[in-house]
Amino acid sequence: MPASVADSTPGPEAEVSDPVPDPEDGARDWQLDHTRAPIATKVVIAGGLGVGKTTFVRAVSEITPLQTEALMTRASEETDDLTATPDKLTTTVAMDFGRITLDDDLVLYVFGTPGQQRFWFMWDDLVRGAIGAVVMADTRRLTDCFPALDYFESCGLPYIVAVNHFEGTERFEEADVRDALTVPDHVPVLIMDARKRYSVVETLLAMVEHALEATPE
């Protein structure tokens, strides 16, 4: 056998190495651009007890969401109305937290507020630095979202109203909900499903767009 052929023929001890994985494989353009950092913003999800705030955060978060759930006890029966949600066993006692990346370089940090009145003192801390809020509503008990509406109106934070449609309940048009809540015409009102990621993403996009229109600077 010619030496050139023999030299090029791998012996039994030769090993075929696997290709070295690219650490940047699957990375987005903005993640590889060291001159540009993602824009991080904070948004707040508010509303009454059992309206779906925890479900909202859980459905959209790209990380394991932080949840501060505690078991419901008989001690809260006189203050927490569970008529519309009799199967609810836990409640948020501090906040829910999640994160989602939108439009490549826009990162939203999503904070869900507790719904019970005895935890409202935490809202001032949770909304500090937020660009806007989503006020969730349940058409079976619309009055539960009035405190959140009043709060964001008084502090001047841009907000939208997201009606979480529950199965087996009557579906109302956005205009009917707007009239019932006396929501100003410039505030978006949406019908959504907090269990479905695409619906939650559309809600967050509407909130960001509204916040940019309200405070373009």
Side-chain angles (χ1 to χ4, degrees), residues 85-167:
T85 55
D87 297 328
K88 185 174 178 60
L89 301 177
T90 62
T91 184
T92 299
V93 295
M95 68 174 183
D96 297 310
F97 171 76
R99 185 191 71 196
I100 178 174
T101 303
L102 298 175
D103 195 22
D104 285 342
D105 57 355
L106 174 61
V107 178
L108 296 185
Y109 293 104
V110 185
F111 289 78
T113 67
Q116 298 97 317
Q117 182 176 355
R118 59 186 177 276
F119 297 125
W120 287 354
F121 70 92
M122 301 180 60
W123 285 23
D124 289 340
D125 291 327
L126 289 176
V127 304
R128 186 175 293 116
I131 64 167
V134 175
V135 177
M136 297 188 65
D138 180 351
T139 54
R140 297 171 297 180
R141 43 203 174 100
L142 283 177
T143 55
D144 287 0
C145 68
F146 278 125
L149 294 174
D150 293 339
Y151 179 87
F152 295 121
E153 282 284 356
S154 63
C155 71
L157 188 70
Y159 69 91
I160 68 171
V161 176
V163 179
N164 189 18
H165 179 66
F166 289 82
E167 291 182 358

